[in-house]
Amino acid sequence: MARTVWDSTVGKKTVMAVSGLVMLLYLVAHMIGNLKIFFGTEEFNHYAHWLRTVGEPFMHYEWTLWLIRVVLVVAVVAHAVSAYQLSRRDIKARPSKYVHKKPRSSYATRTMRWGGIILGLFIVWHILDLTTGTVHSGGFETGKPYQNVVDTFSTWYGNVIYIVAVLAVGLHIRHGFWSAAQTLGAGSRTRDRALKTTANVLALLLTLGFVAVPVGVMTGVVS
């Protein structure tokens, strides 16, 4: 039964919608956590340490964090695979290009595919930069995320990579949230305007919230 659901277009869209909402919830929590950097070194570093001790003593050190990571990896893979397979199915359904050259879909819709690729590459870079320190500029300090964040956004390329990725996130959410609502049956003629407004507000708030950190470093508010 699970295979039958997965093989159907509706099943893949549902997987894509649910996994997208899981990642959206994570982004909201992640953004709120990132903004703690404006409260100073001690506050931000304490928050990063707290993430590793959530659930103690029932959960061992970092177990909750690793559980969250596993859920996110599953969500990312499920989202990417379903998006790719739906895209391939769509191409096979219309092998020839449309006669009309003027695009009828929104900018966000047309850029969902390359936006997803940008986000995938950014996730890899972000982990190697601020989690493992593999590509981190300067000296990566374990247990000192505040200093590591300042190091990253003290470089022009760190800011460019991050801001471009955040803008891609905003566009992705703007279209993806409304699309997920339609897939899960939440959309209707009376609710569509409210859902689109919610999608726009979420995209704007998340974009501004994430961009605030590199801007804070560049302007010296965070140093």
Side-chain angles (χ1 to χ4, degrees):
M1 182 178 179
R3 183 57 186 268
T4 301
V5 172
W6 170 249
D7 286 340
S8 68
T9 298
V10 173
K12 293 183 189 300
K13 286 184 176 181
T14 300
V15 169
M16 194 172 177
V18 173
S19 58
L21 291 176
V22 169
M23 290 187 286
L24 177 59
L25 289 174
Y26 168 76
L27 285 174
V28 171
H30 190 42
M31 180 201 70
I32 294 172
N34 281 0
L35 294 177
K36 288 181 177 289
I37 200 167
F38 290 100
F39 294 94
T41 307
E42 186 177 349
E43 177 85 10
F44 192 70
N45 287 347
H46 175 71
Y47 163 69
H49 176 72
W50 173 81
L51 287 175
R52 288 160 173 74
T53 60
V54 173
E56 289 187 342
F58 178 75
M59 298 291 281
H60 193 62
Y61 183 76
E62 285 196 345
W63 277 14
T64 301
L65 184 59
W66 274 106
L67 180 61
I68 294 172
R69 287 169 175 168
V70 170
V71 171
L72 282 174
V73 168
V74 172
V76 169
V77 171
H79 198 75
V81 171
S82 55
Y84 174 77
Q85 292 186 357
L86 284 169
S87 177
R88 296 298 302 172
R89 186 169 293 184
D90 184 48
I91 291 173
K92 288 181 179 180
R94 49 177 181 82
S96 59
K97 293 183 178 180
Y98 288 124
V99 175
H100 301 287
K101 294 183 178 180
K102 184 178 179 180
R104 297 180 179 179
S105 57
S106 68
Y107 181 75
T109 304
R110 298 197 305 273
T111 57
M112 284 293 282
R113 290 170 187 170
W114 63 256
I117 294 173
I118 289 175
L119 294 178
L121 294 174
F122 169 72
I123 289 171
V124 174
W125 177 83
H126 198 51
I127 291 172
L128 293 176
D129 179 35
L130 292 175
T131 301
T132 66
T134 307
V135 298
H136 185 73
S137 59
F140 182 82
E141 299 182 75
T142 303
K144 296 184 178 180
Y146 184 97
Q147 290 81 350
N148 294 331
V149 169
V150 172
D151 285 344
T152 290
F153 297 129
S154 294
T155 62
W156 68 267
Y157 58 86
N159 289 307
V160 170
I161 292 173
Y162 191 85
I163 292 174
V164 168
V166 167
L167 292 175
V169 167
L171 287 174
H172 216 75
I173 291 171
R174 182 174 178 267
H175 174 73
F177 180 83
W178 182 82
S179 180
Q182 303 302 311
T183 297
L184 298 176
S188 68
R189 184 174 298 179
T190 56
R191 290 196 293 264
D192 276 356
R193 179 173 294 182
L195 287 170
K196 287 182 178 180
T197 300
T198 302
N200 290 334
V201 171
L202 271 173
L204 180 61
L205 289 178
L206 283 170
T207 300
L208 293 177
F210 279 114
V211 168
V213 178
V215 170
V217 176
M218 285 188 285
T219 57
V221 175
V222 176
S223 63

